[in-house]
Amino acid sequence: MNDPTFPQVSTLDQLRLLFLHNANNLGRGVVLARPRVNALFTRLQADRRLVRLLDRLHEDHAGQPVWTNGITGATLLVLSRSDVRRVLSGSDRLYAMATPLKRRMMGHFQPDGVILTEGELRESRRRFNEVVLDWGRDAHREAARFATVVNEEVEALLTGPRATGRPLSWRALRRAFQRVGRRCVLGDVAAEDVEVSELLETLRREGNWMGLRVWRRGRMHALRARFDDRVHRYIDVGQSGSLVGRFADLPIEARVHPSGQVAQWLMGFDTIAPLAARTLALLSTHPWFLTAIEEEIADADRFHHAGTADSVLAMPHLKATVLESARLWPIMRDLARVVTRDTDWDGALVPEDAEVAISLVYHGRAAYRGRAAHRFTPQQWLDGSADNDWALSPTSRGPAACPGGDLGVFIATTAMAAFLREARFRLLTQELRPDQPLPYGFDPFRIKFAVADRPDTPPTVMVPMGPGGFGDFGDFDEEGED
């Protein structure tokens, strides 16, 4: 029985959460995004309503966590920044990643992945991931090669729109980043292997159904075998400059099952496409910052040679824009953990097997952030304030932080630099205005950009920078929020 010192949400609020949190997250697709459902929940302004509901619960309960009924049982919903830090900085043996829902969603195609592993075996698999992905390093040891791949694929992606005048679409953008993922993870030999991406996509799509379609288990088993077979072929080739190419140089325990980690890495590269689309949308609609970014790219290229990894590492403002995009519209909507033993939480008992949920959608836009919640504020990723704010954790933090998070941000930053070197972009779909609060929901799956050759002269800055720093536009009319 739940300790009474943590409040249980009311029946009415539970119904609201059932739609605004549970159905919102599951419907959009936790393992593979469902574009049509994403568009529906965006039109319904579900994220705006969720944030306002959680703001009220935060106020009503003085920031305490609250008990809700999740899909698989009692769930403690974390509402304060300090409690986010408590969970993320805590032991991953106490706050385990392998929740029952994740097992249902991913167990059929990555049962040996580090996310679903516990105990000492998890520690071994975690160490393997950290070594291959160079977690915590300034740059991956293959960063130069990866930067070359990204620059080549962005140049190829823009060839069509620049030659024909047709818009740059989401579909083309995603295909390009899937190709980047195949080349970086599996090697250039996999560049044209669309089938390996399609196999993984089918397996991920089935994961959205949480194992409920039992009649498809045989087919999924066969598809996973085909996927694993293709991955093993690329591991056997071990092409230099790829992630799997590093396997031969590492002392690997058999139980680590290195091939079992590859699906998660390919999935990670797939998340870069929506991140890139939203970041490009922010830059194309904030000309005052775009000008500064273009100057930063030019300076970095001048000192380190255009398109190199060293050049990208000298672009802190561009990296901050990528991180700010992930704050405004999180790629991972929730960070979920399961408590592995009874634990004391400020005098309250959190029982074994209870789940803990951290809504990144909420914490990125919570009322406690003030006016900055709905503004483009990349400076917080430059001045150190975001580093001290654990509620801003786009790739998680602590013992369970994504070991590929640093690499993912590097790839996204490299892609943004490549886009802005090559062309100028105009957002054709949902309007983003620098003098208005940014929308809670921004659907990347219908995004389109007009693409033009980059002019020799910098753009006219239509929105001046105010005396308070980046984007000081005065007070917003909250009723004008999308």
Side-chain angles (χ1 to χ4, degrees), residues 142-180:
E142 298 291 352
R145 170 63 186 153
F146 294 164
T148 298
V149 169
V150 172
N151 286 313
E152 289 175 353
E153 295 300 336
V154 168
E155 183 179 1
L157 172 65
L158 296 180
T159 298
R162 294 172 71 178
T164 65
R166 290 196 299 266
L168 174 62
S169 68
W170 159 255
R171 182 174 296 180
L173 193 70
R174 183 170 184 239
R175 281 200 302 262
F177 280 100
Q178 284 182 327
R179 187 177 165 94
V180 169

Side-chain angles (χ1 to χ4, degrees), residues 273-285:
L275 179 60
R278 288 162 168 159
T279 305
L280 195 57
L282 281 171
L283 288 172
S284 67
T285 55

Side-chain angles (χ1 to χ4, degrees), residues 9-18 53 56-57 60-61:
V9 299
S10 68
T11 301
L12 183 56
D13 282 340
Q14 177 61 60
L15 291 174
R16 292 181 176 121
L17 286 169
L18 182 65
L53 170 61
R56 178 171 60 77
L57 292 175
D60 290 348
H61 301 293

Side-chain angles (χ1 to χ4, degrees), residues 141-423:
R141 67 194 65 198
E142 298 291 352
R145 170 63 186 153
F146 294 164
T148 298
V149 169
V150 172
N151 286 313
E152 289 175 353
E153 295 300 336
V154 168
E155 183 179 1
L157 172 65
L158 296 180
T159 298
R162 294 172 71 178
T164 65
R166 290 196 299 266
L168 174 62
S169 68
W170 159 255
R171 182 174 296 180
L173 193 70
R174 183 170 184 239
R175 281 200 302 262
F177 280 100
Q178 284 182 327
R179 187 177 165 94
V180 169
R182 292 195 300 270
R183 293 180 66 185
C184 292
V185 176
L186 304 174
D188 284 347
V189 288
E192 306 297 336
D193 191 356
V194 176
E195 185 178 355
V196 74
S197 296
E198 292 176 344
L199 285 169
L200 181 57
E201 184 165 317
T202 302
L203 292 165
R204 292 174 63 191
R205 185 178 295 112
E206 191 64 26
N208 285 341
W209 291 92
M210 300 176 289
L212 296 176
R213 303 199 296 186
V214 295
W215 60 90
R216 290 178 60 86
R217 288 180 182 172
R219 172 169 169 73
M220 291 304 109
H221 180 77
L223 289 179
R224 180 192 160 201
R226 285 174 57 190
F227 174 77
D228 288 346
D229 180 63
R230 298 185 87 87
V231 167
H232 278 289
R233 291 184 201 174
Y234 295 119
I235 292 174
D236 290 341
V237 172
Q239 190 167 59
S240 176
S242 68
L243 294 182
V244 300
R246 298 195 59 196
F247 290 6
D249 300 326
L250 298 175
I252 303 172
E253 301 175 71
R255 65 176 188 162
V256 167
H257 198 171
S259 64
Q261 317 307 312
V262 171
Q264 186 64 35
W265 300 343
L266 289 170
M267 287 172 60
F269 272 87
D270 202 31
T271 66
I272 297 173
L275 179 60
R278 288 162 168 159
T279 305
L280 195 57
L282 281 171
L283 288 172
S284 67
T285 55
H286 290 76
W288 51 271
F289 198 69
L290 175 61
T291 300
I293 289 293
E294 289 180 333
E295 292 174 354
E296 179 180 69
I297 294 171
D299 287 343
D301 287 350
R302 186 160 46 248
F303 286 103
H304 301 285
H305 301 296
T308 63
D310 287 340
S311 174
V312 175
L313 294 174
M315 300 176 189
H317 291 80
L318 185 54
K319 178 181 176 181
T321 306
V322 171
L323 292 168
E324 178 68 353
S325 172
R327 191 271 297 182
L328 290 162
W329 304 292
I331 300 299
M332 295 185 297
R333 296 176 58 83
D334 267 16
L335 299 178
R337 303 289 187 265
V338 59
V339 179
T340 58
R341 62 177 182 273
D342 290 354
T343 187
D344 178 86
W345 188 315
D346 292 341
L349 174 67
V350 178
E352 180 181 355
D353 294 333
E355 293 193 36
V356 178
I358 299 168
S359 171
L360 296 184
V361 173
Y362 169 64
H363 286 284
R365 299 297 193 101
Y368 64 67
R369 298 201 177 279
R371 288 197 305 149
H374 312 298
R375 304 170 71 190
F376 178 47
T377 55
Q379 69 271 21
Q380 66 186 313
W381 301 97
L382 298 165
D383 62 16
S385 56
D387 292 339
N388 298 319
D389 186 350
W390 283 58
L392 296 181
S393 299
T395 59
S396 191
R397 300 200 200 195
C402 175
D406 296 336
L407 177 57
V409 172
F410 172 81
I411 295 293
T413 306
T414 304
M416 288 301 102
F419 278 122
L420 297 177
R421 283 191 202 97
E422 292 285 333

Side-chain angles (χ1 to χ4, degrees), residues 96-109 111 113 115-118 210-211 338:
M97 294 192 70
T99 67
L101 194 59
K102 290 176 186 173
R103 292 189 182 282
R104 289 187 189 181
M105 289 182 162
M106 297 188 287
H108 66 290
F109 70 95
I115 290 178
L116 302 185
T117 309
E118 297 178 302
M210 300 176 289
V338 59

